[in-house]
PDB file of all heavy atoms in Angstrom:
ATOM      1  N   GLU A  20      72.717 166.759  30.206  1.00  0.00           N
ATOM      2  CA  GLU A  20      73.944 167.209  29.550  1.00  0.00           C
ATOM      3  C   GLU A  20      73.539 167.946  28.259  1.00  0.00           C
ATOM      4  O   GLU A  20      72.751 167.445  27.502  1.00  0.00           O
ATOM      5  CB  GLU A  20      74.842 165.995  29.161  1.00  0.00           C
ATOM      6  CG  GLU A  20      75.901 165.750  30.209  1.00  0.00           C
ATOM      7  CD  GLU A  20      76.530 164.375  30.097  1.00  0.00           C
ATOM      8  OE1 GLU A  20      76.576 163.780  29.003  1.00  0.00           O
ATOM      9  OE2 GLU A  20      77.082 163.929  31.122  1.00  0.00           O
ATOM     10  N   HIS A  21      74.056 169.133  28.039  1.00  0.00           N
ATOM     11  CA  HIS A  21      73.746 169.932  26.952  1.00  0.00           C
ATOM     12  C   HIS A  21      72.220 170.074  26.745  1.00  0.00           C
ATOM     13  O   HIS A  21      71.649 169.892  25.691  1.00  0.00           O
ATOM     14  CB  HIS A  21      74.377 169.405  25.608  1.00  0.00           C
ATOM     15  CG  HIS A  21      75.815 169.077  25.756  1.00  0.00           C
ATOM     16  ND1 HIS A  21      76.706 170.011  26.009  1.00  0.00           N
ATOM     17  CD2 HIS A  21      76.530 167.959  25.719  1.00  0.00           C
ATOM     18  CE1 HIS A  21      77.938 169.558  26.126  1.00  0.00           C
ATOM     19  NE2 HIS A  21      77.841 168.233  25.969  1.00  0.00           N
ATOM     20  N   GLY A  22      71.550 170.285  27.902  1.00  0.00           N
ATOM     21  CA  GLY A  22      70.084 170.506  27.829  1.00  0.00           C
ATOM     22  C   GLY A  22      69.226 169.285  27.630  1.00  0.00           C
ATOM     23  O   GLY A  22      68.025 169.357  27.580  1.00  0.00           O
ATOM     24  N   LYS A  23      69.905 168.086  27.617  1.00  0.00           N
ATOM     25  CA  LYS A  23      69.086 166.847  27.394  1.00  0.00           C
ATOM     26  C   LYS A  23      69.338 165.847  28.519  1.00  0.00           C
ATOM     27  O   LYS A  23      70.519 165.665  28.958  1.00  0.00           O
ATOM     28  CB  LYS A  23      69.495 166.171  26.071  1.00  0.00           C
ATOM     29  CG  LYS A  23      68.595 166.634  24.932  1.00  0.00           C
ATOM     30  CD  LYS A  23      68.966 165.983  23.633  1.00  0.00           C
ATOM     31  CE  LYS A  23      69.142 164.504  23.617  1.00  0.00           C
ATOM     32  NZ  LYS A  23      69.692 164.074  22.352  1.00  0.00           N
ATOM     33  N   PRO A  24      68.232 165.209  28.998  1.00  0.00           N
ATOM     34  CA  PRO A  24      68.548 164.188  30.075  1.00  0.00           C
ATOM     35  C   PRO A  24      69.193 162.919  29.459  1.00  0.00           C
ATOM     36  O   PRO A  24      68.789 162.471  28.367  1.00  0.00           O
ATOM     37  CB  PRO A  24      67.143 163.813  30.606  1.00  0.00           C
ATOM     38  CG  PRO A  24      66.223 164.204  29.484  1.00  0.00           C
ATOM     39  CD  PRO A  24      66.824 165.296  28.702  1.00  0.00           C
ATOM     40  N   VAL A  25      70.229 162.475  30.130  1.00  0.00           N
ATOM     41  CA  VAL A  25      70.958 161.243  29.662  1.00  0.00           C
ATOM     42  C   VAL A  25      71.172 160.308  30.846  1.00  0.00           C
ATOM     43  O   VAL A  25      71.353 160.762  31.981  1.00  0.00           O
ATOM     44  CB  VAL A  25      72.273 161.539  29.023  1.00  0.00           C
ATOM     45  CG1 VAL A  25      72.156 162.243  27.691  1.00  0.00           C
ATOM     46  CG2 VAL A  25      73.192 162.372  29.921  1.00  0.00           C
ATOM     47  N   LEU A  26      71.174 159.028  30.605  1.00  0.00           N
ATOM     48  CA  LEU A  26      71.372 158.034  31.565  1.00  0.00           C
ATOM     49  C   LEU A  26      72.866 157.902  31.803  1.00  0.00           C
ATOM     50  O   LEU A  26      73.685 157.994  30.917  1.00  0.00           O
ATOM     51  CB  LEU A  26      70.869 156.692  31.121  1.00  0.00           C
ATOM     52  CG  LEU A  26      70.268 155.875  32.273  1.00  0.00           C
ATOM     53  CD1 LEU A  26      68.886 156.457  32.705  1.00  0.00           C
ATOM     54  CD2 LEU A  26      70.095 154.467  31.850  1.00  0.00           C
ATOM     55  N   ILE A  27      73.313 157.797  33.092  1.00  0.00           N
ATOM     56  CA  ILE A  27      74.729 157.642  33.392  1.00  0.00           C
ATOM     57  C   ILE A  27      74.983 156.144  33.472  1.00  0.00           C
ATOM     58  O   ILE A  27      74.358 155.397  34.299  1.00  0.00           O
ATOM     59  CB  ILE A  27      75.088 158.293  34.700  1.00  0.00           C
ATOM     60  CG1 ILE A  27      74.847 159.848  34.636  1.00  0.00           C
ATOM     61  CG2 ILE A  27      76.500 157.968  35.057  1.00  0.00           C
ATOM     62  CD1 ILE A  27      75.190 160.585  35.876  1.00  0.00           C
ATOM     63  N   PRO A  28      75.810 155.582  32.643  1.00  0.00           N
ATOM     64  CA  PRO A  28      76.035 154.091  32.672  1.00  0.00           C
ATOM     65  C   PRO A  28      76.796 153.793  33.973  1.00  0.00           C
ATOM     66  O   PRO A  28      77.547 154.631  34.499  1.00  0.00           O
ATOM     67  CB  PRO A  28      76.891 153.855  31.397  1.00  0.00           C
ATOM     68  CG  PRO A  28      77.510 155.134  31.073  1.00  0.00           C
ATOM     69  CD  PRO A  28      76.656 156.235  31.580  1.00  0.00           C
ATOM     70  N   SER A  29      76.678 152.546  34.399  1.00  0.00           N
ATOM     71  CA  SER A  29      77.455 152.126  35.574  1.00  0.00           C
ATOM     72  C   SER A  29      78.895 151.971  35.127  1.00  0.00           C
ATOM     73  O   SER A  29      79.220 151.965  33.963  1.00  0.00           O
ATOM     74  CB  SER A  29      76.939 150.780  36.106  1.00  0.00           C
ATOM     75  OG  SER A  29      77.317 149.774  35.226  1.00  0.00           O
ATOM     76  N   ARG A  30      79.787 151.805  36.119  1.00  0.00           N
ATOM     77  CA  ARG A  30      81.229 151.644  35.794  1.00  0.00           C
ATOM     78  C   ARG A  30      81.500 150.422  35.026  1.00  0.00           C
ATOM     79  O   ARG A  30      82.507 150.246  34.393  1.00  0.00           O
ATOM     80  CB  ARG A  30      82.116 151.767  37.040  1.00  0.00           C
ATOM     81  CG  ARG A  30      82.174 153.212  37.606  1.00  0.00           C
ATOM     82  CD  ARG A  30      82.565 153.240  39.016  1.00  0.00           C
ATOM     83  NE  ARG A  30      81.517 152.697  39.828  1.00  0.00           N
ATOM     84  CZ  ARG A  30      81.677 152.081  40.976  1.00  0.00           C
ATOM     85  NH1 ARG A  30      82.840 152.049  41.512  1.00  0.00           N
ATOM     86  NH2 ARG A  30      80.591 151.645  41.714  1.00  0.00           N
ATOM     87  N   LEU A  31      80.498 149.481  35.066  1.00  0.00           N
ATOM     88  CA  LEU A  31      80.668 148.252  34.339  1.00  0.00           C
ATOM     89  C   LEU A  31      80.043 148.413  32.945  1.00  0.00           C
ATOM     90  O   LEU A  31      80.080 147.501  32.141  1.00  0.00           O
ATOM     91  CB  LEU A  31      79.928 147.095  35.016  1.00  0.00           C
ATOM     92  CG  LEU A  31      80.552 146.685  36.377  1.00  0.00           C
ATOM     93  CD1 LEU A  31      79.590 145.704  37.062  1.00  0.00           C
ATOM     94  CD2 LEU A  31      81.917 146.044  36.128  1.00  0.00           C
ATOM     95  N   GLY A  32      79.516 149.597  32.691  1.00  0.00           N
ATOM     96  CA  GLY A  32      78.976 149.860  31.378  1.00  0.00           C
ATOM     97  C   GLY A  32      77.490 149.519  31.194  1.00  0.00           C
ATOM     98  O   GLY A  32      76.948 149.555  30.118  1.00  0.00           O
ATOM     99  N   HIS A  33      76.813 149.185  32.294  1.00  0.00           N
ATOM    100  CA  HIS A  33      75.362 148.830  32.199  1.00  0.00           C
ATOM    101  C   HIS A  33      74.537 150.069  32.429  1.00  0.00           C
ATOM    102  O   HIS A  33      74.925 150.985  33.182  1.00  0.00           O
ATOM    103  CB  HIS A  33      75.017 147.750  33.250  1.00  0.00           C
ATOM    104  CG  HIS A  33      75.786 146.503  33.068  1.00  0.00           C
ATOM    105  ND1 HIS A  33      75.833 145.514  34.048  1.00  0.00           N
ATOM    106  CD2 HIS A  33      76.532 146.079  32.076  1.00  0.00           C
ATOM    107  CE1 HIS A  33      76.581 144.516  33.658  1.00  0.00           C
ATOM    108  NE2 HIS A  33      77.037 144.827  32.430  1.00  0.00           N
TER     109      HIS A  33
END
Side-chain angles (χ1 to χ4, degrees):
E20 265 165 23
H21 309 298
K23 265 180 53 190
V25 290
L26 216 72
I27 298 179
S29 75
R30 284 159 294 153
L31 294 172
H33 300 166

